[in-house]
Amino acid sequence: MKVIALLALAGSAAAFAPAQQQSRSTSLAAFENEVGVQAPLGLWDPLKLISDGNQAKFDALREREIKHGRVAMLAVVGYLTTAAGIRFPGAENIPDGLASWQALLDSRDGQNVLIQMLAFFTVAEIVNRDAAWLDNKAEFVGDYRNGALDFGWDKLDDATKLRKRSIELNNGRAAMMGIWGLVTHELLGVSILPGGYLPGH
């Protein structure tokens, strides 16, 4: 018992010891000017995933972040659209929120909606990647235009392109937190939607 008390005392004393100042790693400095490294966090890598300065690893993680952000933006829009009562033809009787999954499995119309969703996900996964069979190079990580889609992007100046990429990245980050918050509140039974509406209930 005395040993445990002594260890607890030593551990608590260590909490008040001055922290060693660490200099910023030179390998992380390579990423300081990347899109998305901005105030208030700057370059935030608490798990030290890119502490080795590996550009290929950074690009792979950034590609995943962009993709998850794009999916989360669609998820938030879909969640709020169905909560507003808007449905595709054939899905009028499908509830909103998480209750929709079981309802989709239980009805023939719901199964048709699931097949359509699967087809959309498949096409989106195929289209939203660098097409190795085309002779073009992506302008940046997450650029999946593949020489076909432009919508005026090539006419923008570099500063505007950088600003728009930052906006997309931050909107994706917000959407990832947003869909997480919407689903968590639904599971807790606490509405955060106007009028106190709670999807799935």
Side-chain angles (χ1 to χ4, degrees):
M1 188 66 171
K2 290 180 181 179
V3 173
I4 294 173
L6 186 60
L7 289 174
L9 183 62
S12 63
F16 297 101
Q20 291 182 341
Q21 296 294 323
Q22 292 182 335
S23 61
R24 192 94 162 133
S25 169
T26 55
S27 57
L28 285 180
F31 305 122
E32 287 291 337
N33 295 320
E34 291 285 343
V35 172
V37 178
Q38 53 205 44
L41 296 178
L43 180 61
W44 193 62
D45 182 27
L47 300 178
K48 308 290 186 225
L49 297 174
I50 55 169
S51 61
D52 59 355
N54 185 327
Q55 185 69 43
K57 188 191 306 181
F58 178 86
D59 289 345
L61 291 169
R62 176 51 53 89
E63 184 173 14
R64 287 173 180 88
E65 180 183 18
I66 291 170
K67 184 178 198 174
H68 283 92
R70 290 171 179 169
V71 169
M73 286 187 270
L74 289 172
V76 168
V77 169
Y79 192 95
L80 296 176
T81 300
T82 56
I86 300 169
R87 303 285 189 280
F88 283 118
E92 293 88 354
N93 297 324
I94 304 296
D96 53 9
L98 296 177
S100 64
W101 291 105
Q102 189 59 47
L104 288 171
L105 292 171
D106 291 343
S107 70
R108 186 74 183 132
D109 286 340
Q111 292 169 3
N112 286 336
V113 171
L114 284 175
I115 291 169
Q116 292 171 26
M117 288 172 58
L118 180 64
F120 171 76
F121 295 156
T122 302
V123 170
E125 188 64 30
I126 292 169
V127 172
N128 287 310
R129 61 180 63 237
D130 274 336
W133 59 90
L134 295 176
D135 186 29
N136 66 318
K137 181 158 175 54
E139 188 176 331
F140 50 88
V141 174
D143 175 20
Y144 301 128
R145 294 175 294 146
N146 291 318
L149 298 173
D150 185 60
F151 302 113
W153 180 263
D154 289 333
K155 295 183 179 94
L156 299 175
D157 60 89
D158 289 342
T160 304
K161 287 180 180 181
L162 188 64
R163 186 174 60 80
K164 289 186 176 288
R165 288 177 56 209
S166 294
I167 290 169
E168 181 196 22
L169 194 58
N170 284 321
N171 285 346
R173 291 169 176 170
M176 285 186 268
M177 297 303 292
I179 193 63
W180 186 16
L182 288 167
V183 169
T184 300
H185 278 84
E186 180 183 338
L187 291 172
L188 292 173
V190 178
S191 174
I192 58 172
L193 297 179
Y197 181 73
L198 187 60
H201 291 84

